[in-house]
Amino acid sequence: MLQLSEVSRVLGGRRVLDRSSLFLGQQEIGVISGASGAGKTTLLRLIAGLEPPESGEISWRTEPLSGPNTWVSPWQRPFAMVFQDLGLWPHLTVSDHLAFVLRSRRELTRADRRRMERRWLSELQIAELSHRYPAELSGGQQQRVAIARSLVRDPQLVLLDEAFAHLDKTTADVVWTVIEDWRRESGGTVLAVTHDTAWIERHATQWFALEEGHTRVRLLPNELRCTSRSSMASAGALCLPVRS
Amino acid sequence: MAVLSWDSRTTAATLSGALVVAICGVPVVWLAFEAVANADLMIWTRSAALLARSLILSLLAAALATGLGAAAAGALNRVDRQRGVLIGLLVIPLLIPSYIHALSWSGLLSDSRWLRRAAGPVTDMASWSLSIWVLTVSYYPVAMLVILAALRRWDDRFTWSAWAHGQGPDAVRRLRMQYLRAPALAAFLVIFLLVFGDFAVPDFFQIDTYATRIFVQVSSYLDTSGAMGLVVPVMIVVLVGFGVLARMSARLALMGSYGLPAVERSPREMSRSPWMARVLAGALVLSIVIIPLGSLVRMTGTAHVLPKALSMIKDDAATGYLLALSVAALTVVIALFAAYAIQRRLLPGGLWIRLLVCLLFAVPASLLGLWAIRAWNQSSLLGWGYDCGLALLLALSARWLPLGLELLIIAWRQVGSPQEEAALACGVAWLPTLRRILLPQLGPALGVAFLLITVFSFNELTLVTLLAPPGLSTLTLRMFQTVHYGSPSLLAAICLWHVVFLLVPIAALLLVMRRWQTRLSGQ
């Protein structure tokens, strides 16, 4: 499970995250939401190891990743991240994207790598685009390449930063089905940033709201319906104290 | 992206930062210290005329070069076909050392009767006007490239928004002039600093400036203390020029960050007399590149001089190339990692390191040579470094590191961190990411940096003359000796070979880079 304890981050003199805490169990689908500039992407970057926290600790399955005396490089963390701006490599074809990531998986033979590459290309319906460069793809196709590149790594946790923003509803459903199958099959965990409340209602098992640098656990609508606190919801008081 | 942990990229960043500080920071600090220690009011007052002469020469040449560069940029911006070829041809004067320009223009003037008449009675070698013109021709491509880059970012939407607010063509012209003021002034200052530090042209035309006086003091009289006495006024001029330039660069960076990419000219703008622009650009190529080179050919006289010159200089040219390639390789590798560390904010005080390095670029090469002589030649502990040429290698690297660093900082900014982070977040370690993702995209910028540093190191005269150990001779050194002791036809032949040795590999490398770029953008 993923645990963030009192994590803080200052960017450009502004405290973006202020002693934020978060707990996400294995195989869960966590969602982070919040206003623009609330620190959602920063939170994902801290978990991925792309930025160090000023204070606090991040751990995965009780193994500390970032802390006062601990640092695990991003490439050594068993995670994968899909970025909002994708970060595709303009000089590599679609299949080269997957092959490049697979090359870092030393435990696989060449044949296994080839098989994995074909599998994810076909799962995300981009096999026929395998020889194209990113500039030759539509926004939705690029998004699917970015997701395939992340899943081919076989991570334990996938971080999605507005990963469905460029996709139409049908494609978003297809892509989510692929991620959901992967999650069920491998026991993986998903932590996504999204504003799509309908999507949150359908898929999320945990909902975190970022407000003024603090993470707060929000009740999901179905949980709300089961509690006697619907009056709080109608008053807009969905925020509960931090669960650490 | 600021990762404080110790891994392969922080190791590379720290090492490169330390090397930059050692190669560039130490000379700057030493020069500042020596300038204060050798401060002598008597020497300064005696050298007031020297300062005035150096300033007038630099200001006039810089103003003229900026004007010529602006005219060339304006013409190139309107040319609709073969713009790349014309830019390439008009950049050639920057790649040819200024002393070759001096020789070709003085040859042209002495050969042609009508030109001599047009130039008036001042036709001797110490002609100020010729000196200013040669310096103008040598450095105008700097202004041309800077202003052309700014013009290419001018968007038709600026014009449309002015029209939408009821402004006429005059107002648009004023707006454009205001927009170009900052890049033009920046180019002017860069050229001013380059001319102020140029030793070869004033020496050729026997004009006494700071750069020549310091050089002569060290190389002829072996009087480093006397040369040090002249450092303070030079450093003050350099600091003032550099200070204004640093302020300008902040404004230029803001203009750049406004986010307008280079735009293709609209058919409406292209239709505005492109033939006139073509004629102007063609005339510039003819008068600034082809005729002066033709004058060198004419000066060689009989055909047998060329093979004779080649047999004389082939070893020197090989040594010069070897030295220049070593300098370029060392400098580009250091600049690659240092630029990465600065751009990705992995080094504390990255901005200060950048300023320090650029300040050294503004300091005349003769001062840098002075530091290297003091540091290497006069110390028994480090004397071996001077004897084996290491002092020369490091001094040349310090001289051209700012160029490589600034070019690669721009390149790293263009590649951006998302692509790198995407690889790291997918479990790929930093070194494979560097090799497979970042370096292929940095290829063109690395090629340009390597090419320019090789060319400028190959052309460097001051540092080579001051620091070449016994037994080491390069093409520039041979040429410098021939200027003083050889025949004009032999000198012209050597100059022609120098141009051939420069332009042929450049053309080959540019072709390779073009293929690389096509591969990158051909998706």
Side-chain angles (χ1 to χ4, degrees):
Chain A
M1 61 293 287
L2 176 72
Q3 185 160 8
L4 274 75
S5 311
E6 309 228 312
V7 168
S8 297
R9 179 75 178 140
V10 178
L11 285 175
R14 192 170 76 89
R15 189 167 282 271
V16 179
L17 293 173
D18 188 11
R19 289 181 292 136
S20 277
S21 298
L22 180 151
F23 181 91
L24 187 66
Q26 202 168 336
Q27 272 200 293
E28 283 206 86
I29 302 168
V31 168
I32 303 171
S33 65
S36 293
K40 306 180 291 289
T41 300
T42 306
L43 192 68
L44 289 195
R45 289 170 62 82
L46 290 182
I47 296 167
L50 298 171
E51 288 179 32
E54 255 84 40
S55 63
E57 257 183 292
I58 300 172
S59 59
W60 173 253
R61 291 181 180 170
T62 69
E63 289 275 321
L65 301 176
S66 310
N69 302 310
T70 321
W71 176 262
V72 175
S73 296
W75 57 88
Q76 291 166 329
R77 300 181 185 207
F79 307 155
M81 182 166 170
V82 180
F83 293 82
Q84 195 173 0
D85 50 8
L86 306 180
L88 296 182
W89 304 310
H91 60 298
L92 297 187
T93 61
V94 170
S95 69
D96 285 345
H97 272 75
L98 273 58
F100 176 61
V101 175
L102 279 166
R103 202 174 291 174
S104 65
R105 292 185 62 184
R106 299 266 164 83
E107 76 277 12
L108 298 178
T109 62
R110 186 175 285 190
D112 285 342
R113 284 184 202 149
R114 192 78 201 113
R115 195 173 43 76
M116 293 277 284
E117 185 187 318
R118 276 201 298 267
R119 177 198 157 186
W120 288 111
L121 284 173
S122 85
E123 294 245 10
L124 282 145
Q125 301 175 359
I126 45 175
E128 70 279 13
L129 309 172
S130 62
H131 295 297
R132 291 204 192 164
Y133 290 96
E136 296 173 324
L137 304 174
S138 69
Q141 290 167 337
Q142 289 181 354
Q143 198 96 10
R144 279 183 276 161
V145 174
I147 290 166
R149 179 179 66 180
S150 300
L151 293 180
V152 85
R153 196 221 165 155
D154 196 23
Q156 292 169 13
L157 167 70
V158 170
L159 303 162
L160 304 171
D161 190 0
E162 307 259 14
F164 305 115
H166 299 292
L167 302 180
D168 59 78
K169 195 173 172 314
T170 318
T171 317
D173 285 343
V174 170
V175 170
W176 175 250
T177 310
V178 173
I179 296 176
E180 184 62 5
D181 289 347
W182 160 81
R183 194 179 67 89
R184 287 215 188 92
E185 189 186 304
S186 66
T189 308
V190 174
L191 183 59
V193 165
T194 184
H195 296 288
D196 185 347
T197 41
W199 189 90
I200 296 170
E201 220 171 289
R202 269 188 292 151
H203 303 297
T205 59
Q206 282 269 28
W207 188 6
F208 306 97
L210 262 175
E211 289 164 9
E212 292 167 3
H214 297 279
T215 329
R216 297 180 192 280
V217 180
R218 280 185 122 172
L219 283 181
L220 289 159
N222 52 356
E223 289 177 291
L224 274 176
R225 280 194 290 275
C226 301
T227 62
S228 58
R229 300 171 74 176
S230 51
S231 55
M232 284 171 70
S234 59
L238 287 170
C239 299
L240 293 180
V242 175
R243 189 203 285 185
S244 57
Chain B
M1 185 168 66
V3 180
L4 306 172
S5 67
W6 202 257
D7 56 29
S8 46
R9 59 182 166 163
T10 39
T11 308
T14 313
L15 261 178
S16 60
L19 278 171
V20 168
V21 170
I23 292 176
C24 295
V26 174
V28 170
V29 172
W30 183 86
L31 279 168
F33 178 77
E34 284 289 303
V36 173
N38 287 282
D40 186 342
L41 202 62
M42 286 294 286
I43 294 180
W44 299 355
T45 46
R46 275 207 306 273
S47 63
L50 191 67
L51 181 63
R53 215 168 20 245
S54 306
L55 282 175
I56 290 168
L57 185 73
S58 312
L59 287 170
L60 287 175
L64 208 57
T66 310
L68 186 63
L76 287 171
N77 191 44
R78 281 166 188 267
V79 166
D80 50 350
R81 271 174 293 167
Q82 303 292 332
R83 186 191 284 125
V85 175
L86 283 171
I87 292 174
L89 285 170
L90 286 169
V91 166
I92 287 177
L94 186 67
L95 304 177
I96 296 173
S98 56
Y99 42 85
I100 293 186
H101 288 292
L103 183 74
S104 64
W105 280 96
S106 67
L108 193 66
L109 196 70
S110 55
D111 281 355
S112 109
R113 212 172 298 151
W114 65 269
L115 202 58
R116 209 182 316 171
R117 252 204 314 273
V122 192
T123 52
D124 60 54
M125 290 296 278
S127 161
W128 262 75
S129 52
L130 196 54
S131 179
I132 290 168
W133 175 245
V134 166
L135 287 165
T136 299
V137 169
S138 305
Y139 295 113
Y140 87 92
V142 174
M144 184 188 81
L145 292 174
V146 170
I147 295 170
L148 183 62
L151 278 173
R152 301 278 294 148
R153 280 175 182 268
W154 177 268
D155 196 320
D156 275 348
R157 280 170 293 182
F158 298 164
T159 311
W160 297 336
S161 61
W163 288 346
H165 289 83
Q167 304 296 316
D170 285 344
V172 173
R173 205 170 296 124
R174 274 202 305 278
L175 193 67
R176 195 184 271 227
M177 292 307 285
Q178 279 172 3
Y179 171 79
L180 290 177
R181 202 181 294 158
L185 187 58
F188 170 84
L189 283 165
V190 170
I191 297 172
F192 170 80
L193 290 170
L194 288 171
V195 173
F196 194 77
D198 193 296
F199 144 78
V201 176
D203 179 67
F204 190 89
F205 292 112
Q206 296 169 17
I207 295 176
D208 195 15
T209 63
Y210 263 113
T212 56
R213 182 75 69 87
I214 290 171
F215 183 85
V216 169
Q217 208 82 22
V218 180
S219 66
S220 302
Y221 307 127
L222 303 172
D223 177 16
T224 47
S225 303
M228 285 312 304
L230 297 167
V231 165
V232 175
V234 179
M235 288 297 278
I236 289 171
V237 171
V238 163
L239 280 174
V240 170
F242 182 75
V244 181
L245 196 61
R247 274 192 72 89
M248 294 297 312
S249 71
R251 193 168 158 200
L252 284 172
L254 273 178
M255 278 172 70
S257 66
Y258 187 58
L260 289 170
V263 287
E264 281 305 315
R265 303 264 69 80
S266 67
R268 182 189 50 73
E269 188 164 351
M270 294 299 295
S271 66
R272 267 192 254 147
S273 55
W275 66 269
M276 240 170 86
R278 277 205 297 271
V279 168
L280 182 59
L284 281 172
V285 170
L286 186 73
S287 58
I288 290 174
V289 183
I290 296 174
I291 291 179
L293 289 180
S295 139
L296 281 182
V297 176
R298 199 180 138 92
M299 279 172 74
T300 53
T302 50
H304 75 273
V305 181
L306 279 171
K308 185 183 161 199
L310 181 63
S311 68
M312 265 179 70
I313 60 166
K314 59 179 194 296
D315 290 344
D316 301 331
T319 312
Y321 254 122
L322 193 65
L323 181 67
L325 289 171
S326 313
V327 171
L330 174 72
T331 312
V332 167
V333 169
I334 295 172
L336 173 73
F337 291 107
Y340 173 79
I342 291 170
Q343 215 282 320
R344 302 288 203 259
R345 294 180 188 168
L346 293 175
L347 276 182
L351 182 69
W352 289 106
I353 293 177
R354 202 172 159 189
L355 278 174
L356 199 72
V357 172
C358 289
L359 181 60
L360 192 67
F361 185 67
V363 171
S366 44
L367 290 194
L368 185 60
L370 206 57
W371 166 78
I373 288 172
R374 278 278 175 105
W376 294 91
N377 196 25
Q378 297 189 354
S379 153
S380 55
L381 200 67
L382 296 171
W384 61 270
Y386 182 86
D387 293 335
C388 70
L390 182 67
L392 178 60
L393 184 82
L394 291 179
L396 282 169
S397 182
R399 178 92 186 117
W400 302 114
L401 190 60
L403 182 71
L405 193 68
E406 289 302 310
L407 273 173
L408 289 168
I409 284 175
I410 295 168
W412 277 114
R413 195 182 299 142
Q414 281 172 352
V415 171
S417 50
Q419 293 174 24
E420 179 185 357
E421 289 175 345
L424 301 180
C426 285
V428 183
W430 186 68
L431 282 175
T433 303
L434 178 74
R435 202 172 58 243
R436 290 289 314 278
I437 302 297
L438 303 173
L439 284 184
Q441 295 185 70
L442 288 168
L446 282 172
V448 168
F450 189 84
L451 182 74
L452 287 179
I453 294 171
T454 306
V455 167
F456 292 145
S457 302
F458 188 70
N459 290 345
E460 177 64 44
L461 176 63
T462 315
L463 287 175
V464 174
T465 313
L466 289 176
L467 298 172
L472 189 141
S473 176
T474 66
L475 188 55
T476 50
L477 207 54
R478 176 61 71 108
M479 218 177 308
F480 183 63
Q481 287 158 359
T482 317
V483 168
H484 291 283
Y485 310 111
S487 69
S489 62
L490 186 66
L491 181 61
I494 294 176
C495 285
L496 272 180
W497 280 118
H498 190 128
V499 173
V500 171
F501 288 149
L502 271 179
L503 296 188
V504 170
I506 288 173
L509 198 58
L510 284 178
L511 274 177
V512 172
M513 276 164 57
R514 200 168 178 173
R515 273 201 189 163
W516 197 336
Q517 216 149 17
T518 316
R519 223 183 90 193
L520 268 182
S521 59
Q523 310 94 8

